């Protein structure tokens, strides 16, 4: 594993801290450490910045001048991509899918959307269930017609190039755990477009660090989510020259905490947001880390993780809270 072989631009504050969460640990009956990827720096931080270091590296290597990507209206990935484009002197065109069906003013204009505009991204809104891959191609064609050179980044930055960012994160976690003399039983993260979990699994497998990664799904049912993660982890291992490193049994995604659907809030999410904020002063987000923490709390209560040493990847997203104010503001 030698990541300097891949084009990369430095966008993130790395390594991110690994911090113990003493009061959440006590509440959950396990030793909980938080990998603070909400502190990657760019645009307020989040997990997409690690992926974008390699994706924008590839875009510059291809001599492209415009980043093209897509996401849900309150996409953290789109916010970080818009900022990365600005930081590298590139244009940015984004397509936002009205995936949750919400037309609330704060959902459509505050939070991540406000920041996308501030970073100067050109935004196009499309209805839910639009074929987003086709929209990406259409936008790239438009950029070409105007004489530009587009670089298309898939939703969530999740392909094997983007997942290299989480191969590097796996390396950071193992180095930090060794420094602190921590024997890790498990890593837990939210899993959506699969690049975070896929990259972690590939990185750990290639290093030979036998630490299970539990993904907590935020959108797809379990078979589909695990298939996506396995495919991406395998493609990433291929890029690292170790195609045989990842096996199917290393991929576990618990999708029992999705609730009503992607980006839809339920009382368990509100409880997770409130607990993290009031126990250890942590800001989680309504779409990803709030759902993952809801899952972690439920699993801990069931006794499944009793006494374990767990790293929870804080993948960021708190900027999205301001897009959900009208929905959850009164529930705190
Ligand atoms: C995108 C995102 C995730 C999910 O990561 P994937 O790599 O898409 O699975 C988790 N948390 C936050 C805050 C995100 O923005």
């Amino acid at each position: 594993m030698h990541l300097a072989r891949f084009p990369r631009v430095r966008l993130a504050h790395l390594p991110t801290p690994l911090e113990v969460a003493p009061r959440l640990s006590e509440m959950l009956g396990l030793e909980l450490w938080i990998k603070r990827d909400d502190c990657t720096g760019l645009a307020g931080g989040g997990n997409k910045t690690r992926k974008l270091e390699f994706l924008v590296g590839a875009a510059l290597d291809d001599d492209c001048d415009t980043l093209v990507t897509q996401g849900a209206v309150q996409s953290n990935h789109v916010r970080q991509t818009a900022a990365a484009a600005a930081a590298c002197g590139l244009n940015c065109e984004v397509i936002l899918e009205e995936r949750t069906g919400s037309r609330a003013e704060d959902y459509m204009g505050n939070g991540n959307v406000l920041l996308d505009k501030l970073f100067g991204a050109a935004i196009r809104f499309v209805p839910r269930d639009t074929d987003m891959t086709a929209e990406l191609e259409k936008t790239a064609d438009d950029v070409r017609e105007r004489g530009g050179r587009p670089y298309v980044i898939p939703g969530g930055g999740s392909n094997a190039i983007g997942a290299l960012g989480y191969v590097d994160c796996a390396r950071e976690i193992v180095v930090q755990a060794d420094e602190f003399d921590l024997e890790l039983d498990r890593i837990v993260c939210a899993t959506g477009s699969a690049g975070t979990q896929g990259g972690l699994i590939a990185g750990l497998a290639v290093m030979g660090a036998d630490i299970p990664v539990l993904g907590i799904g935020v959108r797809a049912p379990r078979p589909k989510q695990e298939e996506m993660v396995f495919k991406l982890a395998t493609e990433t291992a291929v890029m690292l020259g170790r195609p045989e490193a990842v096996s199917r049994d290393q991929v576990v995604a618990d999708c029992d905490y999705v609730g009503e659907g992607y980006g839809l809030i339920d009382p368990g999410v509100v409880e997770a947001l409130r607990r993290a904020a009031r126990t250890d002063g942590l800001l989680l987000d309504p779409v990803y880390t709030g759902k993952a923490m809801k899952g972690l709390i439920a699993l801990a209560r069931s006794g499944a993780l009793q006494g374990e040493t767990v790293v929870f990847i804080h993948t960021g997203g708190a900027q999205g809270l301001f897009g959900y104010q009208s929905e959850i503001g009164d529930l705190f």
Side-chain angles (χ1 to χ4, degrees):
M1 183 168 118
H2 187 28
L3 294 176
R5 290 187 180 130
F6 302 97
R8 181 174 187 176
V9 286
R10 300 288 168 167
L11 298 166
H13 300 172
L14 300 178
T16 57
L18 181 66
E19 297 174 342
V20 74
R23 278 161 292 276
L24 275 173
S25 294
E26 196 183 325
M27 184 190 104
L28 297 175
L30 46 83
E31 188 176 328
L32 184 65
W33 290 74
I34 313 285
K35 178 64 171 162
R36 296 297 303 270
D37 274 14
D38 56 322
C39 299
T40 51
L42 183 77
N47 62 338
K48 304 311 180 306
T49 299
R50 286 188 189 270
K51 305 177 186 182
L52 286 161
E53 289 201 336
F54 292 96
L55 291 161
V56 180
L60 294 176
D61 206 47
D62 290 354
D63 201 26
C64 294
D65 64 9
T66 306
L67 302 182
V68 176
T69 198
Q70 58 97 352
V73 171
Q74 284 294 333
S75 166
N76 302 300
H77 161 68
V78 166
R79 161 178 45 88
Q80 289 162 85
T81 303
C88 297
L90 302 170
N91 299 318
C92 187
E93 306 233 352
V94 303
I95 310 136
L96 298 181
E97 180 195 359
E98 294 166 7
R99 195 182 293 163
T100 68
S102 171
R103 302 295 309 232
E105 204 175 314
D106 51 357
Y107 187 79
M108 294 301 285
N110 203 340
N112 285 297
V113 181
L114 176 80
L115 300 179
D116 298 342
K117 290 179 182 165
L118 180 57
F119 288 121
I123 301 175
R124 191 155 58 83
F125 290 89
V126 296
R128 68 182 296 174
D129 297 328
T130 298
D131 179 344
M132 297 304 279
T133 310
E135 291 298 319
L136 279 177
E137 281 315 313
K138 204 191 300 171
T139 305
D141 286 342
D142 291 348
V143 171
R144 267 181 226 107
E145 243 165 62
R146 298 196 305 264
R149 296 183 301 280
Y151 185 85
V152 174
I153 296 176
S158 286
N159 56 21
I161 295 174
L164 292 174
Y166 272 86
V167 170
D168 196 33
C169 181
R171 181 193 59 74
E172 273 180 30
I173 291 170
V174 170
V175 168
Q176 288 169 321
D178 288 347
E179 269 172 19
F180 301 162
D181 225 357
L182 283 181
E183 195 177 329
L184 302 182
D185 294 303
R186 202 175 301 281
I187 295 172
V188 176
C189 65
T191 183
S193 66
T196 301
Q197 193 182 3
L200 286 170
I201 288 172
L204 292 166
V206 165
M207 280 187 290
D210 197 14
I211 307 168
V213 182
L214 172 63
I216 306 215
V218 300
R219 188 175 184 188
R222 179 172 185 151
K224 182 175 175 202
Q225 189 65 31
E226 290 190 344
E227 211 35 63
M228 281 166 54
V229 173
F230 179 54
K231 181 167 178 285
L232 193 45
T234 304
E235 288 167 7
T236 309
V238 167
M239 280 199 74
L240 296 170
R242 292 282 308 283
E244 79 301 341
V246 174
S247 59
R248 178 64 183 81
D249 61 345
Q250 289 165 339
V251 177
V252 181
D254 185 338
C255 299
D256 289 350
Y257 305 99
V258 176
E260 294 295 302
Y262 173 88
L264 302 177
I265 311 292
D266 56 60
V269 175
V270 174
E271 188 202 342
L273 293 173
R274 194 194 287 123
R275 291 227 180 237
R278 296 184 188 179
T279 51
D280 284 312
L282 286 169
L283 278 181
L284 301 183
D285 85 287
V287 180
Y288 295 95
T289 53
K291 256 180 204 170
M293 185 58 75
K294 167 191 163 190
L296 187 64
I297 292 171
L299 289 167
R301 279 184 184 149
S302 78
L305 309 171
Q306 191 63 36
E308 287 194 1
T309 301
V310 173
V311 170
F312 179 82
I313 316 258
H314 190 334
T315 41
Q319 295 74 14
L321 283 167
F322 303 103
Y324 279 84
Q325 192 237 341
S326 54
E327 205 178 323
I328 55 177
D330 292 339
L331 301 177
F332 300 136

